[in-house]
Amino acid sequence: MAVNNIKDISFNDRRKFAVKLIDDMLQTLTPENAINNVFNVNINMYKNVYLIGFGKASFRMYSGIRPKIINKLRYAGIIVPEDEVIGHNFTELRIYRGTHPYVSSASVNSSIELLRPLKNLNEDDLVIVLISGGGSSLFEIPEDNVSVDDIMEISKEIMNSGGNIYDLNIIRLGLSSVKGGKLASYLYPAHVKSYIISDVFYDDLGIIASGPLVREDYSDDVQKISEKYVKNPGLRDFINKNYRKNTLDMKYYERIENIIILKNKDFVDYLYKNLDSNSVSLGSNINGDVNDVSNYLINILRNIYSVKRSGFWFVCGGETTVNVKGNGIGGRNEELCMKMLKLYNNDEQFLFLSIGTDGIDGLSPAAGGIVDNFTKIENIDDYLKNNDSYNALKPGNIIMTGRTGNNVSDIILGYYNKFNNF
């Protein structure tokens, strides 16, 4: 099972159905299957094959591609979260550790070691790059005059002030010597095949893991982002002074191919296909502050009901943000569940489930939460004020998976009806 506590949270039929469907989704749409289905490169065309990977899904991606490249493989190395448990012993694979969600010296040291064997690449070599969410903090070599602590403090300010993944990575890529397409200079003149699992809404290649192999210019947005989310004037000045655009010649990108192999929409579509014909998909690009998203969702559910006049399942995906003001334990999915719980009326029959597909919601040990008419939380406003959604929801409304080795952002599954039609 992917969900470790199914029995604890499936105490009615509707919950059983929802949690089982989420469990099936996580077990079916795996990085192994995704890359195995897509990879069709004739590796015999190349003299040497190298592989590097970074992100929460890098090990499972490697496991899927390994049988197809092992006979030609000269070097393979990946960077994974420091607390990820690796279940296989591939003797040829070098496993380095980094930190998430904030970069650290461990991430930088691992990144330097990851790239060390790639210093003498040739035109007839192939480098396979496995990229997934979490790569922005796990894989990092800062620009000159930029320290790990600088990037960490700036990241904390943006994340805690409600900045989304676009805001965060646009800033991070300009402070990095390997993001924003700059990794291309380390891999030139080899051929590069980059396989990507998207954890950002709209699947922007320049934002996923801060776009290490994508030459995009976001510099026009830097000042607006820093003024909105970076409260410390010193840090804002530091960003303006040290932000570096990519100035590499386009020749560095002529042999690079970026391929998205798995994305949030795949998960939304899987759920939708396994619901009944009366169900509704709200898409895979839900984003914004949890306050705005919860109000948007409750209003759209009520509007849909006013047309259907009967109960329906709904599914959507994306990634919300939280303006953190307390010191509790929680994450955006659990907080969204709490917000929705507050908004439902007494005449509404509902279930609302929201999880992070990486299995770790914010700074909590949970993947997310599930609430319905049976969920009763006293002093809910106090918990929300302290951003303590994990303690408010546990144990009967918390979904536990541990790290899944995957990451396509967040998935929402729910049911809506009115009691008079139940």
Side-chain angles (χ1 to χ4, degrees):
M1 292 188 297
V3 179
N4 300 330
N5 64 332
I6 287 182
K7 291 183 179 179
D8 297 333
I9 58 178
S10 301
F11 47 77
N12 60 53
D13 289 342
R14 188 167 291 133
R15 280 187 172 226
K16 287 178 183 177
F17 173 79
V19 176
K20 179 63 166 57
L21 185 54
I22 290 292
D23 187 74
D24 291 343
M25 174 196 74
L26 292 173
Q27 293 191 70
T28 302
L29 298 178
T30 66
E32 294 95 329
N33 290 339
I35 198 165
N36 186 56
N37 292 338
V38 170
F39 187 80
N40 60 359
V41 177
N42 180 6
I43 60 173
N44 293 319
M45 294 174 52
Y46 304 97
K47 182 178 180 180
N48 300 296
V49 175
Y50 301 83
L51 180 144
I52 59 172
F54 39 87
K56 299 174 185 177
S58 56
F59 178 75
R60 297 188 67 178
M61 293 171 78
Y62 178 75
S63 298
I65 201 174
R66 180 179 185 266
K68 296 185 175 182
I69 65 173
I70 187 65
N71 292 333
K72 193 86 174 185
L73 190 61
R74 181 166 179 176
Y75 162 73
I78 60 173
I79 305 175
V80 299
E82 59 185 357
D83 62 343
E84 181 175 340
V85 178
I86 301 297
H88 296 276
N89 182 24
F90 298 140
T91 56
E92 80 284 355
L93 177 64
R94 301 185 195 179
I95 298 176
Y96 302 100
R97 301 284 179 169
T99 53
H100 184 272
Y102 304 118
V103 69
S104 68
S105 58
S107 298
V108 174
N109 292 336
S110 290
S111 301
I112 292 170
E113 292 303 314
L114 180 74
L115 297 179
R116 195 180 300 278
L118 305 180
K119 289 186 176 180
N120 297 304
L121 296 171
N122 297 305
E123 292 183 10
D124 52 1
D125 292 333
L126 171 67
V127 180
I128 298 168
V129 186
L130 309 179
I131 299 174
S132 56
S136 290
S137 64
L138 294 169
F139 178 63
E140 182 60 275
I141 302 176
E143 284 277 15
D144 293 341
N145 301 319
V146 178
S147 73
V148 171
D149 290 340
D150 295 325
I151 297 176
M152 181 175 66
E153 289 303 315
I154 291 167
S155 299
K156 282 183 177 179
E157 288 235 357
I158 295 173
M159 293 170 71
N160 290 340
S161 298
N164 64 34
I165 192 66
Y166 276 72
D167 301 316
L168 180 60
N169 285 358
I170 285 172
I171 298 298
R172 288 198 286 201
L173 66 85
L175 303 176
S176 171
S177 70
V178 291
K179 308 289 179 54
K182 299 170 194 172
L183 178 60
S185 65
Y186 291 79
L187 306 183
Y188 185 82
H191 292 261
V192 178
K193 301 285 187 181
S194 168
Y195 297 90
I196 301 167
I197 294 181
S198 171
D199 69 328
V200 306
F201 46 93
Y202 304 118
D203 303 316
D204 190 330
L205 287 170
I207 297 298
I208 303 166
S210 300
L213 291 169
V214 179
R215 196 180 191 279
E216 294 282 358
D217 183 8
Y218 300 97
S219 58
D220 289 344
D221 297 322
V222 172
Q223 185 173 352
K224 177 180 67 177
I225 294 169
S226 61
E227 288 179 353
K228 184 174 183 179
Y229 297 112
V230 181
K231 309 303 182 187
N232 185 322
L235 288 178
R236 287 200 300 271
D237 291 341
F238 179 88
I239 292 170
N240 293 331
K241 180 179 179 181
N242 292 284
Y243 194 92
R244 296 288 180 267
K245 292 196 298 184
N246 184 342
T247 58
L248 290 176
D249 190 277
M250 288 305 297
K251 71 177 183 180
Y252 289 96
Y253 301 92
E254 292 174 354
R255 298 186 181 122
I256 294 176
E257 183 179 7
N258 291 294
I259 306 155
I260 293 179
I261 65 169
L262 199 59
K263 55 189 181 297
N264 189 271
K265 186 177 184 298
D266 298 326
F267 283 60
V268 170
D269 289 348
Y270 177 91
L271 294 177
Y272 183 61
K273 289 175 183 177
N274 284 278
L275 295 170
D276 62 47
S277 59
N278 196 40
S279 303
V280 175
S281 173
L282 302 179
S284 59
N285 294 312
I286 300 292
N287 66 90
D289 182 85
V290 289
N291 293 297
D292 299 330
V293 170
S294 58
N295 281 297
Y296 164 78
L297 288 174
I298 196 67
N299 287 329
I300 200 169
L301 294 177
R302 288 166 179 162
N303 287 334
I304 292 170
Y305 177 82
S306 70
V307 175
K308 287 182 170 291
R309 308 304 299 176
S310 63
F312 59 93
W313 286 91
F314 63 93
V315 59
C316 58
E319 184 169 300
T320 59
T321 58
V322 177
N323 192 343
V324 179
K325 296 180 179 179
N327 57 4
I329 301 172
R332 58 183 181 261
N333 291 282
E334 294 154 274
E335 185 128 344
L336 181 59
C337 287
M338 298 265 286
K339 295 285 187 181
M340 292 299 293
L341 183 62
K342 278 196 65 178
L343 290 174
Y344 285 110
N345 294 327
N346 290 333
D347 66 336
E348 293 174 314
Q349 179 78 11
F350 68 90
L351 178 144
F352 188 87
L353 180 159
S354 185
I355 66 163
T357 53
D358 62 353
I360 303 295
D361 186 30
L363 298 178
S364 83
I370 178 171
V371 294
D372 59 13
N373 296 94
F374 300 95
T375 306
K376 307 300 179 186
I377 299 175
E378 296 183 7
N379 303 317
I380 189 171
D381 288 328
D382 291 337
Y383 281 110
L384 284 170
K385 184 177 180 180
N386 197 35
N387 300 113
D388 200 19
S389 53
Y390 172 74
N391 285 313
L393 292 169
K394 75 174 188 180
N397 306 294
I398 286 293
I399 299 174
M400 302 292 293
T401 64
R403 287 200 180 275
T404 63
N406 205 349
N407 188 18
V408 294
S409 223
D410 302 335
I411 292 293
I412 294 168
L413 174 65
Y415 178 83
Y416 183 91
N417 200 359
K418 289 290 187 75
F419 270 116
N420 58 352
N421 282 332
F422 176 60

